[in-house]
Amino acid sequence: MVKNDYYLEYIEVIEELLCRYIYETDRINPNILLIDRCSIEKAVKNNIWTKIFHKYRDYYNLQRKNETSESLIIEYIWITDLLPLLPTSNEKYELFTKSPEASIYFEYLSKFADTIIIYCYNKRQLIYYLPLLNSLDEEALVFVNFDIKSISINNNKITVIEYEFYCEEYYFKNSFLARNFPKIYWFGNIFLEFVNVINPRCIVVLEGCHLEMETLSTISKIIEIPCICIQQGWPSVMHTRFRNMTYDYFLTWGVEFNDLWKKYNSLPKFTSIGYLYSTINDCTYKKNAITFFLQGPFIIINKQYFDELLEVAIALAFKFPDIPFLIKEHPEYRLDDVWLRKLSKYDNISIVKDLCLSEVFGRSKISISIFSSIIMESLIHDTFPIVFEVSSVPYYPSDLEIKQLGLITNRDNILSKIERYLSMNQEELFHERLLKFRKKYFSNEGKDSVDSLMLIMNNIINN
């Protein structure tokens, strides 16, 4: 049987290659991945993943379709990209011991001693943090590496610090990291300087898949404070960056997610807090639209699959002219002019790139996506999710359709399944079933979730 693609196989191949890389690195130079007594290997794996995953994804897929053996491609990637990143046996790292007063940051940061550090990767994360930041009842420092002028935080206990990837002084030196993983090297030095002065009560991160977050997790272990990660989405495809996370605590949307995360992550303690945002449950909007939530052609989506999803949107808009259709672009991958012209020909299709997520859901009775976390977020917003399955990667969580909380369909039967769902008036049945399971997927929402988060953070910090 010919596969649609080899993306799932490729995800496992990259994981195996990265494990091989860490093994060889430790064999050649057993201590080179240590900062103080703690390993930085997880951040290194995440860093390499971002360098090579997309670089070789389509190449691997094409070669496998042409019947090139898996082992030949693996060795090519190893020799080309990973072998040059191995250390030498005589490389060493040097750790410097200094008092907080000796730091160039002491004068400014010392007044924030014993506070909470919250790390924010990008603007989307800062927006997601806002319910917590606006409610936090103790002082916290938010570290960002981007301009925040367009985003307001209404809490005088929160201080935002914009840092740069440059350190005038070193907490440690490591020629191996400096040469092959400079982002980890600089980020680690900068934040070890920061925490040496601040001596924070804990470090909080969001989502958990970026090298900066895993570097902070290592730093938290060096200074022996807890590192807390908060769930931002659900990745569906559990690639390397979402496996073997090293955080002490991982706070999830609901108990149903705890076991899903635990399958690939044995270290964190998983506790559910809920969904930080409130949903729109009033009559401000008509909840009558079918919304396509787009993703870029990454991970398990290629340009062909991306285009197929949009062709489905056009086919449905033509078939159901009285139903409004919304197209929600991914903020990091916008529609090109060709697709904008195609979609503009249909009066019942609207592009909603500027609407906030809660407002889009407030208008949507059905959501359609390929593997976005939107599929699961639909449940908190009383929106019926449909998974458009085009890739060879199996859908997650498999029991969603069994519980009749959503549909999994493909290009051959998506039109008929949606028509049946609409014609049989199954919306009331969906909402009845959702009442039974919603609390398991989302234990709280809005203020209740924020209160739960703050209570758990206080318990972690004070115990």
Side-chain angles (χ1 to χ4, degrees):
M1 177 177 164
V2 179
K3 290 186 178 182
N4 291 339
D5 58 63
Y6 286 83
Y7 295 149
L8 179 60
E9 180 180 287
Y10 178 66
I11 288 167
E12 298 306 320
V13 161
I14 294 298
E15 172 66 14
E16 291 171 13
L17 275 167
L18 293 174
C19 289
R20 176 182 171 186
Y21 174 81
I22 295 298
Y23 173 83
E24 288 298 317
T25 297
D26 287 338
R27 183 186 63 80
I28 295 168
N29 194 326
N31 296 317
I32 203 63
L33 291 177
L34 294 180
I35 301 176
D36 202 339
R37 66 196 181 283
C38 300
S39 176
I40 199 74
E41 72 173 57
K42 175 56 177 158
V44 167
K45 286 179 73 174
N46 287 9
N47 197 168
I48 300 175
W49 189 97
T50 59
K51 290 180 178 180
I52 68 172
F53 185 86
H54 296 294
K55 177 180 179 180
Y56 288 107
R57 187 196 69 154
D58 291 331
Y59 167 80
Y60 184 92
N61 188 50
L62 180 61
Q63 292 296 316
R64 293 292 285 129
K65 283 188 171 183
N66 290 336
E67 300 183 351
T68 304
S69 74
E70 182 180 334
S71 60
L72 279 177
I73 310 171
I74 288 172
E75 283 310 302
Y76 174 73
I77 298 173
W78 173 261
I79 292 170
T80 305
D81 278 76
L82 294 177
L83 195 61
L85 295 178
L86 288 173
T88 63
S89 59
N90 59 356
E91 286 184 286
K92 297 179 181 179
Y93 78 90
E94 185 178 4
L95 189 67
F96 302 102
T97 302
K98 63 173 71 174
S99 67
E101 293 80 8
S103 172
I104 59 172
Y105 306 110
F106 180 77
E107 184 176 352
Y108 177 69
L109 290 181
S110 58
K111 58 180 174 287
F112 300 110
D114 199 36
T115 57
I116 295 170
I117 284 181
I118 298 174
Y119 173 73
C120 190
Y121 181 73
N122 55 24
K123 283 189 177 181
R124 278 198 297 151
Q125 285 203 350
L126 184 56
I127 291 169
Y128 192 84
Y129 269 129
L130 284 177
L132 170 63
L133 298 180
N134 288 331
S135 302
L136 202 59
D137 55 3
E138 60 181 287
E139 288 192 358
L141 287 178
V142 180
F143 283 92
V144 302
N145 188 231
F146 53 86
D147 181 10
I148 67 160
K149 290 178 182 176
S150 60
I151 302 172
S152 297
I153 299 172
N154 302 313
N155 187 344
N156 58 17
K157 292 182 178 292
I158 304 298
T159 301
V160 178
I161 295 178
E162 296 184 32
Y163 70 93
E164 295 182 357
F165 274 94
Y166 176 74
C167 193
E168 295 182 32
E169 297 184 6
Y170 296 93
Y171 191 92
F172 69 96
K173 287 189 177 181
N174 183 317
S175 59
F176 165 70
L177 288 180
R179 180 177 69 253
N180 294 331
F181 309 104
K183 200 168 187 180
I184 294 175
Y185 182 66
W186 288 111
F187 188 90
N189 264 300
I190 292 165
F191 275 87
L192 278 166
E193 283 282 342
F194 291 165
V195 301
N196 190 39
V197 175
I198 299 167
N199 190 27
R201 304 174 71 194
C202 71
I203 297 175
V204 179
V205 300
L206 191 62
E207 188 179 18
C209 66
H210 297 284
L211 69 89
E212 293 89 347
M213 301 161 188
E214 283 291 351
T215 302
L216 287 172
S217 181
T218 299
I219 289 172
S220 74
K221 291 168 178 55
I222 293 171
I223 62 173
E224 299 181 343
I225 62 168
C227 187
I228 303 168
C229 186
I230 302 170
Q231 180 175 354
Q232 182 183 12
W234 171 247
S236 160
V237 181
M238 300 298 282
H239 55 69
T240 294
R241 293 196 299 159
F242 286 106
R243 299 183 187 186
N244 301 307
M245 294 186 287
T246 66
Y247 311 108
D248 300 294
Y249 299 89
F250 198 103
L251 309 184
T252 68
W253 286 341
V255 294
E256 285 287 332
F257 287 100
N258 293 354
D259 287 339
L260 293 171
W261 285 111
K262 283 178 186 176
K263 183 178 178 181
Y264 292 94
N265 297 278
S266 60
L267 182 60
K269 180 179 180 181
F270 293 93
T271 304
S272 60
I273 57 166
Y275 192 72
L276 296 184
Y277 276 84
S278 297
T279 58
I280 295 175
N281 293 316
D282 56 27
C283 299
T284 306
Y285 312 103
K286 287 185 178 180
K287 199 174 179 70
N288 60 351
I290 296 176
T291 301
F292 286 78
F293 289 90
L294 306 182
Q295 297 159 275
F298 311 119
I299 314 294
I300 62 169
I301 301 176
N302 56 28
K303 188 62 167 61
Q304 175 190 335
Y305 297 161
F306 180 86
D307 291 346
E308 284 180 15
L309 182 61
L310 286 168
E311 293 291 355
V312 168
I314 287 176
L316 283 170
F318 180 79
K319 189 176 183 68
F320 302 104
D322 296 328
I323 295 178
F325 287 83
L326 307 179
I327 307 292
K328 177 64 172 170
E329 294 176 289
H330 192 279
E332 295 171 11
Y333 191 83
R334 299 300 189 183
L335 289 168
D336 59 29
D337 290 340
V338 174
W339 271 115
L340 290 173
R341 284 194 296 270
K342 280 186 181 181
L343 296 168
S344 67
K345 295 177 182 177
Y346 296 83
D347 293 336
N348 58 334
I349 294 180
S350 301
I351 312 295
V352 290
K353 64 180 180 181
D354 295 325
L355 290 185
C356 66
L357 197 58
S358 60
E359 188 174 341
V360 175
F361 272 124
R363 301 179 180 193
S364 306
K365 62 181 177 182
I366 294 175
S367 66
I368 302 175
S369 191
I370 295 177
F371 79 102
S372 171
S373 62
I374 290 299
I375 296 162
M376 298 309 301
E377 287 183 75
S378 297
L379 300 181
I380 191 69
H381 293 276
D382 295 331
T383 299
F384 186 76
I386 296 178
V387 181
F388 183 54
E389 198 168 49
V390 286
S391 171
S392 63
V393 178
Y395 172 62
Y396 75 96
S398 57
D399 63 350
L400 196 65
E401 190 170 54
I402 295 171
K403 293 172 182 173
Q404 296 181 295
L405 294 175
L407 288 175
I408 304 170
T409 185
N410 55 39
R411 62 179 69 85
D412 296 324
N413 56 26
I414 188 169
L415 297 182
S416 60
K417 279 196 173 185
I418 290 177
E419 185 172 25
R420 185 175 178 218
Y421 177 80
L422 294 172
S423 64
M424 294 182 67
N425 195 25
Q426 294 186 50
E427 290 178 60
E428 287 188 18
L429 292 175
F430 164 64
H431 292 300
E432 288 175 9
R433 291 189 294 269
L434 185 56
L435 286 174
K436 180 180 178 181
F437 292 104
R438 181 169 165 171
K439 280 286 186 182
K440 293 182 179 180
Y441 285 104
F442 299 92
S443 56
N444 285 304
E445 66 171 283
K447 185 180 183 305
D448 290 339
S449 178
V450 174
D451 290 344
S452 177
L453 170 56
M454 291 194 295
L455 178 62
I456 289 172
M457 282 177 57
N458 284 331
N459 288 339
I460 292 171
I461 292 169
N462 297 319
N463 288 337

